[in-house]
Amino acid sequence: MKISAVIPTYNHSQWLPESIESALNQTLRPHEIIVVDDGSKDNTKQVVSRYPVRYVYQQNAGLSAARNKGIEVATGDWIALLDADDVWMAAKLERQVAAIGDEEFCYCATTRFFPDGHTEAPECFFGEEGLKLLRHHNFIDPSSVLAKRDAFLKVGGFNRDMPAGEDWEMWLKLANVCKFVGVPERLLRYRVLGNSMSKNPEIHLKSMEAIVAAGTGHLHGIARIIAARRMRSVRYALVAIKYRDNGDYRNAMRCAMRGVSHWPSPFHDRAFKIVLLELRRRLVGK
């Protein structure tokens, strides 16, 4: 197994050394480390020159294009993704390789760390339950993924036209053609930075149909229609929650109602619950 670590970066030179060093310090050293500079304006090239890694520059084309470029030029038969602001634990690749049997896609649990120093341990899911939940919730962080290069190429790479959720769409596409295995050990430290998508929740809806298509492409007939409606309902509910967190209750209600229109059931339905919460808030004036 020859592993190519692919690190896409754009103006992340302040965090890039820690990311590169976490790849270099693996107990199972990758065959190569490729840093794809997506047209950075900072001193990324100078930072990378200090390390024994492969540097690839391209005009700014976005994160998906940078990941695709790294996968394209890689000489390994496996790809380990690593974002420029994330950090692998030293045994990350070793543990994943040990977990892989005939699977072509492996991920691990994550620890998220914040600028103020606190950390969170988001829940990760595995086995058949995980694959079912993946249709409604993206619990796989890109930097946790180790997958066969041919699998990425088979599904056409990351979607460059999506403004958000391109990683989620990729996992759903791969789930249709690959066997998955997960490692419950928290082998990735995911750096949480300010996210403009939280300020503009609507951007998540622009990617919804691509995600729905990827999540239902293997289904047929009424099963596909039902699954698609459920996925849309969950997506609208998630956007409604983001609006509500931002204090935009009008748009929270609008999105929640759209979610209910796709899945009009009070059972196991976030959109329906958000509508009830918003109605209660209006009645009590809070």
Side-chain angles (χ1 to χ4, degrees), residues 33-54:
I33 299 170
I34 304 168
V35 177
V36 181
D37 183 353
D38 188 37
S40 296
K41 305 301 182 184
D42 61 10
N43 64 331
T44 289
K45 186 174 182 179
Q46 289 72 29
V47 169
V48 175
S49 69
R50 304 200 298 259
Y51 297 97
V53 302
R54 184 177 174 189

Side-chain angles (χ1 to χ4, degrees), residues 2-286:
K2 294 170 62 176
I3 299 173
S4 296
V6 173
I7 307 177
T9 186
Y10 176 69
N11 292 340
H12 272 22
S13 63
Q14 66 188 108
W15 298 296
L16 191 55
E18 192 175 6
S19 177
I20 293 175
E21 288 166 15
S22 76
L24 287 170
N25 293 330
Q26 289 294 295
T27 54
L28 177 62
R29 188 86 173 259
H31 162 69
E32 64 181 348
I33 299 170
I34 304 168
V35 177
V36 181
D37 183 353
D38 188 37
S40 296
K41 305 301 182 184
D42 61 10
N43 64 331
T44 289
K45 186 174 182 179
Q46 289 72 29
V47 169
V48 175
S49 69
R50 304 200 298 259
Y51 297 97
V53 302
R54 184 177 174 189
Y55 176 77
V56 177
Y57 179 87
Q58 67 176 25
Q59 294 295 323
N60 182 250
L63 180 57
S64 290
R67 285 175 177 151
N68 288 343
K69 185 65 174 180
I71 293 167
E72 175 191 335
V73 303
T75 60
D77 53 346
W78 286 78
I79 302 294
L81 298 174
L82 176 58
D83 286 350
D85 52 352
D86 292 341
V87 180
W88 284 344
M89 298 296 95
K92 192 259 188 187
L93 294 181
E94 182 180 1
R95 295 281 198 276
Q96 288 188 295
V97 169
I100 293 171
D102 61 348
E103 296 87 2
E104 297 177 277
F105 184 101
C106 182
Y107 61 98
C108 65
T110 300
T111 299
R112 295 182 179 176
F113 65 106
F114 295 76
D116 64 4
H118 87 277
T119 62
E120 293 179 357
E123 192 171 5
C124 199
F125 304 89
F126 305 95
E128 288 301 316
E129 177 195 7
L131 288 177
K132 290 178 181 177
L133 185 59
L134 185 62
R135 191 182 295 162
H136 305 296
H137 169 50
N138 183 17
F139 55 84
I140 300 175
D141 287 311
S143 297
S144 77
V145 168
L146 172 64
K148 275 198 170 180
R149 178 174 180 269
D150 286 348
F152 283 117
L153 298 176
K154 184 175 182 178
V155 298
F158 288 90
N159 190 335
R160 296 179 53 167
D161 297 326
M162 293 180 66
E166 71 288 339
D167 55 331
W168 190 5
E169 188 214 28
M170 171 58 77
W171 317 150
L172 289 169
K173 290 190 296 186
L174 288 174
N176 293 330
V177 299
C178 293
K179 289 183 179 180
F180 277 36
V181 64
V183 178
E185 190 175 353
R186 298 189 183 278
L187 300 170
L188 166 68
R189 284 174 55 83
Y190 174 94
R191 191 187 306 271
V192 180
L193 303 170
N195 190 345
S196 61
M197 285 188 286
S198 294
K199 299 176 183 177
N200 180 23
E202 208 76 16
I203 196 170
H204 294 276
L205 297 179
K206 295 179 180 178
S207 301
M208 181 171 64
E209 291 307 318
I211 292 171
V212 169
T216 61
H218 63 296
L219 302 174
H220 303 281
I222 190 66
R224 184 172 187 175
I225 293 171
I226 291 173
R229 291 185 69 86
R230 181 73 177 121
M231 286 186 71
R232 293 187 184 100
S233 177
V234 171
R235 198 63 173 160
Y236 272 112
L238 293 174
V239 173
I241 290 171
K242 291 182 182 296
Y243 271 126
R244 202 165 188 271
D245 290 344
N246 292 344
D248 188 343
Y249 299 111
R250 183 181 64 83
N251 277 316
M253 175 64 96
R254 174 179 62 83
C255 288
M257 290 298 293
R258 289 293 301 274
V260 170
S261 73
H262 285 285
W263 193 264
S265 167
F267 302 105
H268 308 290
D269 187 78
R270 286 184 175 182
F272 198 92
K273 292 175 183 176
I274 294 167
V275 170
L276 294 179
L277 287 171
E278 180 58 16
L279 288 174
R280 186 181 69 174
R281 186 194 67 83
R282 294 184 182 189
L283 285 172
V284 300
K286 295 182 180 180

